[in-house]
Amino acid sequence: MLGIPYNHTMETPATFFLVGIPGLQSSHLWLAISLSAMYIISLLGNTLIMTVIWIDFTLQEPMYCFLYVLAAVDIVMASSVVPKMVSIFFSGNGSISFNACFTQMYIVHAATSVETGLLLAMAFDRYVAICKPLHYKRILTPQLMLAMSMAITIRAVIFMTPLSWMLSHLPFCGSNVVLHSYCEHIAVAKLACADPMPSSLYSVIGSSIIVGSDVAFIAASYQLILRAVCGLSSKNAQLKALSTCGSHVGVMALYYLPGMASIYVTWLGKAMVPLHTQVLLADLYVVIPPTLNPIIYGLRTKQIQKRTWSLLMHCLFDYSKLGS
């Protein structure tokens, strides 16, 4: 059906074959063009955000430092999967080595774990800024920010290492055709000759604990924030306080809603949701947030908007002077 011969050797395959989006091969060219455009926007937008925060000393506050790391993680997450996906959609070149497949899996899943931790850190920053403004600098010290960043990274490594190890040590003696656009954990686990249930359960339970705890703490932070905002006497002060959270809320919705839909549709909707829809959801999940995050922060954060516009004008005028 897929036009790819199945490998029935008893040895672990040297390569896997990613088919793209099963059932939507006729749309692969349009998907490649769309993904290429989104990837370019993601690279340019996140690089611009990082550059503006790096060179502008007025943006060295904790919120912007976390945003800087978020932009870097978005670039890593998109770059780990999109170039290969575009290659598959353009030319049908879906071959990927065994080691490269598991490296890609490790990077993309670890990046998603780091990203949810960063969203929690940014929610904590907004809580301190609004609920304890007089103690902001005393609480969010550089030492605490470094400790939070290290804890987020270590948590991702601790979670992802056993997951990749368990799956990579299973025997793959049957088909080497992965019905996906990248080496997504469950899609690869289906090819194992042994029972992949321990690895799959670890994936779902671990991701549910990480995402569930982060969402619970974020919800608690915003409950306290709303309580503090409602206690303000001035309407302008209330709107100003809420507007500082608008970008973060938008990014959270963009990250958690498609992510949770992708995970639980794969697990619970196997019979009800077509495979191409499941794969498309997973693809969009790793592409849309990195593309839209810099746009959301650029449009809703006045400081970044001003500095970005100033930087662009400076570069354009310098270039025009050199040209003349």
Side-chain angles (χ1 to χ4, degrees):
M1 180 181 67
L2 297 170
I4 304 299
Y6 278 49
N7 179 5
H8 289 287
T9 63
M10 294 306 293
E11 297 180 357
T12 297
T15 61
F16 289 110
F17 190 91
L18 298 164
V19 302
I21 302 180
L24 289 184
Q25 281 84 355
S26 60
S27 303
H28 274 186
L29 179 60
W30 294 109
L31 288 169
I33 295 171
S34 302
L35 282 175
S36 299
M38 293 170 70
Y39 183 56
I40 292 171
I41 293 171
S42 172
L43 288 181
L44 293 177
N46 285 295
T47 302
L48 186 60
I49 290 285
M50 293 174 67
T51 304
V52 168
I53 295 174
W54 180 265
I55 65 176
D56 195 327
F57 291 104
T58 64
L59 297 178
Q60 302 303 312
E61 298 178 8
M63 183 65 174
Y64 299 112
C65 293
F66 289 131
L67 178 56
Y68 181 95
V69 179
L70 180 66
V73 172
D74 279 341
I75 291 175
V76 171
M77 182 165 67
S79 298
S80 67
V81 294
V82 176
K84 185 61 182 177
M85 287 164 58
V86 171
S87 174
I88 295 169
F89 295 153
F90 263 129
S91 63
N93 179 22
S95 296
I96 184 170
S97 70
F98 185 87
N99 290 332
C101 182
F102 282 95
T103 300
Q104 183 190 68
M105 182 191 302
Y106 186 93
I107 292 173
V108 69
H109 290 311
T112 58
S113 177
V114 170
E115 187 150 339
T116 182
L118 287 171
L119 293 178
L120 173 59
M122 294 166 82
F124 178 69
D125 172 89
R126 292 300 84 198
Y127 160 74
V128 177
I130 293 175
C131 298
K132 300 181 181 294
L134 299 179
H135 304 285
Y136 183 79
K137 291 186 177 180
R138 184 174 63 83
I139 295 175
L140 282 171
T141 60
Q143 292 81 4
L144 178 62
M145 291 172 56
L146 178 61
M148 291 171 68
S149 300
M150 290 181 63
I152 291 169
T153 304
I154 291 171
R155 184 184 70 169
V157 171
I158 290 175
F159 166 67
M160 273 308 302
T161 301
L163 179 66
S164 297
W165 185 90
M166 283 191 292
L167 187 56
S168 64
H169 282 72
L170 290 176
F172 291 89
C173 54
S175 171
N176 66 341
V177 178
V178 182
L179 300 178
H180 214 288
S181 304
Y182 64 94
C183 289
E184 192 267 340
H185 173 264
I186 295 178
V188 177
K190 291 177 180 177
L191 303 182
C193 297
D195 184 13
M197 186 56 67
S199 174
S200 299
L201 280 176
Y202 179 87
S203 172
V204 171
I205 293 172
S207 59
S208 297
I209 290 173
I210 290 176
V211 174
S213 60
D214 287 353
V215 169
F217 282 117
I218 290 172
S221 298
Y222 272 93
Q223 184 180 5
L224 295 172
I225 288 171
L226 289 174
R227 187 181 301 174
V229 169
C230 292
L232 297 174
S233 57
S234 170
K235 288 289 184 183
N236 288 334
Q238 290 179 347
L239 291 175
K240 185 178 179 180
L242 290 175
S243 67
T244 63
C245 302
S247 302
H248 186 239
V249 171
V251 169
M252 283 194 302
L254 196 64
Y255 176 79
Y256 286 118
L257 293 179
M260 294 173 71
S262 173
I263 292 172
Y264 291 108
V265 160
T266 302
W267 257 84
L268 304 177
K270 296 176 183 177
M272 297 179 290
V273 181
L275 180 59
H276 66 266
T277 303
Q278 299 176 32
V279 176
L280 190 59
L281 269 175
D283 290 352
L284 294 177
Y285 171 58
V286 295
V287 178
I288 290 180
T291 303
L292 295 185
N293 283 354
I295 297 175
I296 292 174
Y297 277 108
L299 291 177
R300 292 194 59 88
T301 308
K302 290 182 179 180
Q303 295 94 323
I304 292 180
Q305 193 174 355
K306 288 181 181 178
R307 301 299 185 274
T308 302
W309 183 252
S310 176
L311 178 65
L312 290 175
M313 290 297 101
H314 179 73
C315 293
L316 287 174
F317 279 119
D318 282 356
Y319 180 77
S320 62
K321 287 179 182 179
L322 287 174
S324 62

